[in-house]
């Protein structure tokens, strides 16, 4: 489905703000909070975010790279995320972040004791909660943008 965007309006701002201001503003603030308040390392953050983007198929999210302190992940990082099981580009925290993202999105009922033992061996409970909230944001809002066709209308700055 595509949403009809009035001429001259930014698609995201229109749908998230003008169409449903009571919901959209809260959603936007939550979405932005994930980036503004994260304590996770850039590589694990981006591994989880990109894995959700790959699953959602959100064009905008796939093209986006989080920047922190003028640093971004390397260009090949997204390919490594898609191959998280076998890549040698990841440490265990980054690999677990990608795995958790995939399982959260596709098989959350299958998150068993073995998985949680590995997660708690590398992440604190606070980090797990933060990562889980981030995954929820990316899954919901990236999928919303994809389903409504907003991801194809949005252009990254500089493109």
């Amino acid at each position: 489905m595509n949403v009809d965007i009035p001429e001259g309006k930014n698609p995201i701002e229109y749908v998230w703000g003008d169409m449903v201001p009571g919901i959209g503003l809260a959603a936007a603030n939550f979405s932005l909070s994930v980036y503004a308040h994260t304590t996770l390392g850039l590589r694990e953050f981006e591994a989880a975010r990109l894995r959700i983007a790959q699953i959602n198929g959100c064009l905008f999210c796939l093209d986006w790279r989080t920047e922190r302190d003028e640093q971004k992940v390397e260009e090949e990082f997204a390919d490594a995320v898609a191959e998280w099981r076998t890549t040698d580009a990841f440490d265990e925290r980054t690999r677990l972040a990608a795995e958790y993202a995939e399982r959260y999105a596709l098989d959350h009922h299958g998150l068993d004791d073995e998985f949680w033992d590995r997660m708690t061996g590398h992440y604190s409970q606070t980090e797990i909660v933060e990562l889980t909230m981030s995954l929820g944001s990316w899954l919901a809002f990236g999928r919303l943008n994809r389903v409504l066709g907003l991801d194809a209308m949005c252009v990254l700055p500089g493109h």
Side-chain angles (χ1 to χ4, degrees):
M1 171 188 176
N2 286 313
V3 175
D4 295 325
I5 308 298
E7 186 74 30
K9 292 281 191 172
N10 174 296
I12 294 285
E13 291 173 2
Y14 178 73
V15 171
W16 287 54
D18 295 348
M19 291 185 80
V20 290
I23 300 169
L25 181 59
N29 284 333
F30 175 49
S31 180
L32 292 171
S33 291
V34 167
Y35 295 88
H37 302 291
T38 186
T39 63
L40 299 169
L42 180 60
R43 291 181 67 76
E44 57 237 19
F45 185 88
E46 278 293 273
R49 189 196 65 73
L50 277 165
R51 190 65 197 122
I52 293 292
Q54 291 166 348
I55 291 165
N56 280 344
C58 177
L59 301 173
F60 182 84
C61 303
L62 287 166
D63 202 27
W64 174 264
R65 293 298 177 273
T66 303
E67 185 174 326
R68 202 178 297 153
D69 299 324
E70 299 181 23
Q71 298 292 314
K72 291 184 181 182
V73 294
E74 63 275 9
E75 193 63 36
E76 308 80 27
F77 192 81
D79 293 334
V81 169
E83 301 296 326
W84 63 264
R85 287 174 184 84
T86 57
T87 184
D88 60 0
F90 290 172
D91 63 16
E92 194 57 27
R93 280 177 60 97
T94 304
R95 187 178 317 282
L96 276 166
E99 178 183 357
Y100 186 31
E102 182 174 303
R103 293 179 74 174
Y104 181 93
L106 300 176
D107 186 26
H108 62 284
H109 291 287
L111 295 170
D112 56 13
D113 289 341
E114 182 275 330
F115 172 78
W116 288 117
D117 286 345
R118 288 186 293 119
M119 275 299 282
T120 58
H122 293 278
Y123 284 90
S124 71
Q125 288 186 352
T126 300
E127 289 173 319
I128 292 170
V129 170
E130 179 183 330
L131 182 55
T132 305
M133 287 186 174
S134 296
L135 292 171
S137 171
W138 299 322
L139 183 64
F141 302 134
R143 192 159 293 179
L144 176 150
N145 289 336
R146 178 67 182 148
V147 167
L148 296 181
L150 300 176
D151 64 328
M153 296 181 212
C154 297
V155 178
L156 287 171
H159 278 63

